[in-house]
Amino acid sequence: SCYILSSPQSNHGLSSEQDCLPWSLLLLSLMCETSAFYVPGVAPINFHQNDPVEIKAVKLTSSRTQLPYEYYSLPFCQPSKITYKAENLGEVLRGDRIVNTPFQVLMNSEKKCEVLCSQSNKPVTLTVEQSRLVAERITEDYYVHLIADNLPVATRLELYSNRDSDDKKKEKDVQFEHGYRLGFTDVNKIYLHNHLSFILYYHREDMEEDQEHTYRVVRFEVIPQSIRLEDLKADEKSSCTLPEGANSSPQEIDPTKENQLYFTYSVHWEESDIKWASRWDTYLTMSDVQIHWFSIINSVVVVFFLSGILSMIIIRTLRKDIANYNKEDDIEDTMEESGWKLVHGDVFRPPQYPMILSSLLGSGIQLFCMILIVIFVAMLGMLSPSSRGALMTTACFLFMFMGVFGGFSAGRLYRTLKGHRWKKGAFCTATLYPGVVFGICFVLNCFIWGKHSSGAVPFPTMVALLCMWFGISLPLVYLGYYFGFRKQPYDNPVRTNQIPRQIPEQRWYMNRFVGILMAGILPFGAMFIELFFIFSAIWENQFYYLFGFLFLVFIILVVSCSQISIVMVYFQLCAEDYRWWWRNFLVSGGSAFYVLVYAIFYFVNKLDIVEFIPSLLYFGYTALMVLSFWLLTGTIGFYAAYMFVRKIYAAVKID
């Protein structure tokens, strides 16, 4: 429903009303559209009593191997016809292969116990090869991920917080785990979870009296059980009887011989007060948010406190410098020049390899624009976990389209650095960073292919990505570069001398590596708690949803990188070293070094990865993250320092 807001008639005559009419119609149509638009991505599905609720399988995952597999890579019961859902780019890159399953679930209809794929009451026989594969996946801690009405299955974990006190006072702390464990090991024996008790929660929608009630699925839980063949009694109608209480033994899988078992499931429905709009809250409150708030406030206070101190020191010192340098001529003649004013004739001397520098900075601008827009849109709730793969798809397409801005900034900088070969520069900008990313991903993908994992990007998708790169990104970079190169170059306030000045010997703390260590601490300290949550989301199959926090952290990162970069370039110019272009770009990205160190720490302490290929995947993708982060922070720092250098040299009188 749409409401038209009436306003007092304006006295500006008919023409202004006619001018406003198209705009008001457009606004009105947008308002009408948004009334039926659900921000988290998917509109609710209303079910009637006994409507089928389809259970689909997504994939099998393990944080120990980092290799996802599709559901039917294991000998689970299959429906008569297997149909895969058409997937977006993000889902394919994540390794999701959403497929139908033989579970028959009807809305608000209970099932005590049902046997899957039972032909005339016979159990399923797993061959030695299949048994070995299932046993291997169980020992590798694989989880199975199912969805019902786009809601992922979760296993309820009840933790008691105060164990020492009386039983009555024990507080249950309920947490949820994504998916359910494929099985478990106990005293060197391997057991498979072959019975699934589905617990689905529905919310009854308020309807008028004469209409039939509709229901919406608001939670999907599972209790996996292992029940051996002898304890399950099945009849001709595919129904079965579960053993009483603790009388049953678990279903063992012996990898050295054939195993017989039943795959069974039961369905239980419960009414819930949870509204459809907040049904994802269960999944998104799996980690302690208080830690988050505390760490964010801590980071904000520390960063702004340090920023304030740095700004005060720099501004006071600069004012003193500029006042000294701009004193009357007779005093200036008697004073011996020292500090950053001495290098005014060399500070804007173009560096070595200007094409590569401008290309890397262009890619940094491209990354910056992409990350800023993605985090902002995700913060508004448009890329929530319920729209699977939307985040990755959006990031890929935005990176391609941001090529215009990357090309423009690279072209203008290249012109400023006295470059002439703009076509080669544009090609370098469009291919240098994306080429490295594509190369590393292709090599890693070959290893994943070898493992037959669903995480391997299919060949058609790879071709599609190449077409996007050369069909969208490359032309847009060329377009931006052309206009950037034609634009007036950045105006440097002082002229460059013909003969380069000799650089005095530098102190030990002016070493490039020492600079990287010093400059990286502040930006890394501001964001390392957030880094923990991002790593958990990537490597431990958690949902990442705290984009409001992430946006705040990103702003802090930009501020701290800029200020550290300005301080470093000021010290360097005071030491009469004018070769700041490359050094500043490298040093500003110093926090990437700490990200690498943290990634190694996370690998050793948090992940249980022992095999070669999972380790290779971890460090391959970490290298990409570190490279991208270095480009991003280096670009932010470089542009801040460039603006600062132009400002201070414009403020002093130079003969």
Side-chain angles (χ1 to χ4, degrees):
S1 59
C2 254
Y3 302 99
I4 299 172
L5 305 174
S6 59
S7 60
Q9 188 131 17
S10 77
N11 300 320
H12 297 305
L14 191 61
S15 61
S16 64
E17 279 190 10
Q18 283 173 338
D19 289 345
C20 287
L21 191 62
W23 292 105
S24 51
L25 283 173
L26 179 67
L27 189 65
L28 192 64
S29 66
L30 283 173
M31 284 164 68
C32 294
E33 283 293 316
T34 47
S35 66
F37 174 65
Y38 282 86
V39 170
V42 190
I45 297 173
N46 293 324
F47 295 92
H48 295 290
Q49 179 77 32
N50 292 330
D51 276 359
V53 178
E54 198 173 4
I55 308 282
K56 292 182 177 179
V58 182
K59 59 181 170 182
L60 311 168
T61 62
S62 162
S63 57
R64 282 185 64 182
T65 68
Q66 297 300 334
L67 292 165
Y69 286 96
E70 62 170 283
Y71 183 68
Y72 292 123
S73 64
L74 290 182
F76 291 119
C77 293
Q78 298 184 359
S80 52
K81 188 188 176 192
I82 295 177
T83 50
Y84 286 90
K85 172 187 165 284
E87 291 172 335
N88 61 38
L89 180 64
E91 285 174 325
V92 174
L93 295 177
R94 283 178 46 191
D96 294 2
R97 300 288 181 272
I98 299 172
V99 65
N100 60 334
T101 59
F103 298 109
Q104 302 290 322
V105 177
L106 302 176
M107 173 51 76
N108 205 13
S109 171
E110 303 272 323
K111 275 191 181 176
K112 286 278 184 283
C113 179
E114 192 93 8
V115 181
L116 285 171
C117 60
S118 146
Q119 292 162 352
S120 63
N121 202 8
K122 284 182 185 171
V124 177
T125 305
L126 301 183
T127 63
V128 179
E129 190 62 40
Q130 289 174 330
S131 302
R132 194 184 297 125
L133 185 64
V134 169
E136 190 184 318
R137 295 280 182 269
I138 292 170
T139 52
E140 288 172 340
D141 276 346
Y142 267 86
Y143 281 76
V144 183
H145 297 274
L146 305 174
I147 48 173
D149 186 30
N150 200 39
L151 210 55
V153 75
T155 310
R156 181 192 289 257
L157 302 175
E158 293 183 349
L159 308 170
Y160 293 98
S161 51
N162 42 353
R163 290 182 182 174
D164 302 333
S165 56
D166 301 336
D167 285 350
K168 291 178 185 175
K169 292 181 183 174
K170 275 186 181 177
E171 286 180 28
K172 263 198 277 189
D173 182 20
V174 177
Q175 286 189 351
F176 290 92
E177 197 172 52
H178 300 298
Y180 69 88
R181 283 179 186 273
L182 182 58
F184 60 96
T185 53
D186 189 23
V187 200
N188 294 334
K189 288 189 175 180
I190 297 163
Y191 301 101
L192 173 71
H193 285 139
N194 59 328
H195 176 81
L196 301 178
S197 301
F198 292 128
I199 304 166
L200 290 109
Y201 293 77
Y202 64 84
H203 181 74
R204 196 195 298 260
E205 295 302 302
D206 297 327
M207 306 295 282
E208 291 169 20
E209 287 179 18
D210 54 340
Q211 287 184 310
E212 190 185 347
H213 274 295
T214 61
Y215 307 92
R216 288 176 180 174
V217 180
V218 291
R219 189 185 289 179
F220 181 26
E221 288 178 21
V222 67
I223 301 170
Q225 289 166 277
S226 185
I227 305 170
R228 71 176 178 184
L229 179 68
E230 293 76 15
D231 294 339
L232 276 167
K233 297 177 181 67
D235 61 21
E236 296 294 328
K237 295 175 184 173
S238 291
S239 59
C240 51
T241 313
L242 293 172
E244 294 293 321
N247 298 338
S248 71
S249 303
Q251 172 65 53
E252 190 188 340
I253 299 290
D254 188 340
T256 59
K257 63 176 189 184
E258 288 188 351
N259 291 273
Q260 287 198 321
L261 68 147
Y262 282 122
F263 283 109
T264 57
Y265 70 103
S266 59
V267 181
H268 173 61
W269 287 91
E270 283 187 27
E271 189 164 1
S272 169
D273 295 332
I274 299 168
K275 290 260 194 322
W276 187 87
S278 48
R279 67 181 192 157
W280 273 82
D281 293 1
T282 309
Y283 304 90
L284 303 183
T285 49
M286 295 196 182
S287 50
D288 197 353
V289 180
Q290 276 184 321
I291 297 172
H292 231 109
W293 271 116
F294 180 73
S295 73
I296 293 285
I297 291 166
N298 189 25
S299 296
V300 171
V301 169
V302 168
V303 166
F304 282 111
F305 177 68
L306 285 171
S307 300
I309 291 173
L310 286 177
S311 306
M312 272 172 57
I313 292 169
I314 278 279
I315 289 166
R316 283 184 63 180
T317 316
L318 267 179
R319 275 188 180 156
K320 209 158 78 178
D321 283 356
I322 291 167
N324 282 342
Y325 290 153
N326 288 346
K327 274 184 181 173
E328 290 173 12
D329 294 341
D330 56 330
I331 302 171
E332 199 172 290
D333 291 339
T334 58
M335 263 178 63
E336 191 186 334
E337 279 193 347
S338 66
W340 52 267
K341 192 187 174 188
L342 268 180
V343 293
H344 68 81
D346 296 276
V347 73
F348 294 111
R349 187 178 300 285
Q352 283 184 303
Y353 316 116
M355 187 185 289
I356 297 173
L357 179 65
S358 59
S359 299
L360 289 172
L361 288 163
S363 295
I365 292 286
Q366 215 171 330
L367 267 176
F368 177 80
C369 296
M370 181 265 280
I371 291 170
L372 184 69
I373 296 170
V374 164
I375 296 174
F376 185 72
V377 171
M379 186 179 71
L380 299 179
M382 292 185 193
L383 299 175
S384 81
S386 62
S387 13
R388 276 166 211 291
L391 185 76
M392 208 174 265
T393 311
T394 309
C396 284
F397 276 97
L398 267 174
F399 183 76
M400 302 292 171
F401 288 113
M402 291 300 123
V404 174
F405 300 106
F408 181 84
S409 55
R412 193 168 180 202
L413 185 69
Y414 185 54
R415 174 90 185 267
T416 308
L417 299 178
K418 309 282 190 291
H420 303 295
R421 296 172 296 171
W422 74 269
K423 288 176 187 167
K424 194 177 174 187
F427 184 76
C428 191
T429 307
T431 54
L432 187 60
Y433 168 69
V436 171
V437 172
F438 188 81
I440 293 175
C441 288
F442 183 76
V443 171
L444 294 177
N445 206 46
C446 292
F447 284 101
I448 306 173
W449 260 333
K451 282 284 190 178
H452 306 291
S453 163
S454 67
V457 178
F459 190 70
T461 309
M462 208 170 268
V463 172
L465 283 169
L466 276 172
C467 290
M468 280 169 64
W469 177 14
F470 287 107
I472 300 173
S473 185
L474 189 86
L476 286 176
V477 169
Y478 262 91
L479 185 73
Y481 210 96
Y482 174 73
F483 284 108
F485 194 76
R486 283 187 60 185
K487 197 170 168 61
Q488 191 69 24
Y490 292 112
D491 183 31
N492 294 332
V494 287
R495 284 198 306 276
T496 303
N497 294 342
Q498 293 290 325
I499 302 161
R501 177 190 168 82
Q502 195 172 357
I503 296 164
E505 196 178 333
Q506 299 294 302
R507 297 282 181 89
W508 65 270
Y509 55 80
M510 293 308 291
N511 181 296
R512 195 170 288 175
F513 188 68
V514 175
I516 286 172
L517 291 180
M518 283 162 56
I521 289 176
L522 183 62
F524 177 75
M527 53 154 273
F528 91 97
I529 294 281
E530 207 60 34
L531 205 62
F532 168 75
F533 286 95
I534 292 169
F535 270 53
S536 301
I538 296 171
W539 303 116
E540 297 188 51
N541 300 306
Q542 303 289 327
F543 287 117
Y544 188 83
Y545 60 98
L546 299 156
F547 290 103
F549 286 123
L550 190 61
F551 189 71
L552 195 61
V553 167
F554 187 68
I555 299 297
I556 294 169
L557 183 71
V558 171
V559 170
S560 53
C561 275
S562 306
Q563 288 180 326
I564 277 289
S565 168
I566 288 169
V567 171
M568 297 306 282
V569 80
Y570 177 73
F571 283 143
Q572 187 181 346
L573 294 177
C574 285
E576 298 176 28
D577 182 358
Y578 53 82
R579 297 169 305 182
W580 64 273
W581 303 88
W582 273 107
R583 181 192 154 93
N584 190 263
F585 182 47
L586 291 168
V587 165
S588 302
S591 45
F593 172 75
Y594 288 97
V595 172
L596 177 63
V597 172
Y598 180 77
I600 295 167
F601 165 80
Y602 189 89
F603 179 81
V604 172
N605 284 2
K606 299 282 181 190
L607 295 178
D608 189 18
I609 293 177
V610 284
E611 290 179 38
F612 169 69
I613 289 181
S615 307
L616 183 75
L617 289 180
Y618 180 86
F619 285 108
Y621 289 130
T622 298
L624 282 185
M625 283 169 61
V626 168
L627 172 69
S628 306
F629 193 71
W630 169 65
L631 271 185
L632 176 73
T633 49
T635 304
I636 293 166
F638 177 86
Y639 276 102
Y642 191 31
M643 282 166 62
F644 169 77
V645 170
R646 282 166 56 204
K647 276 268 189 295
I648 61 171
Y649 282 100
V652 292
K653 293 177 192 165
I654 286 159
D655 301 333

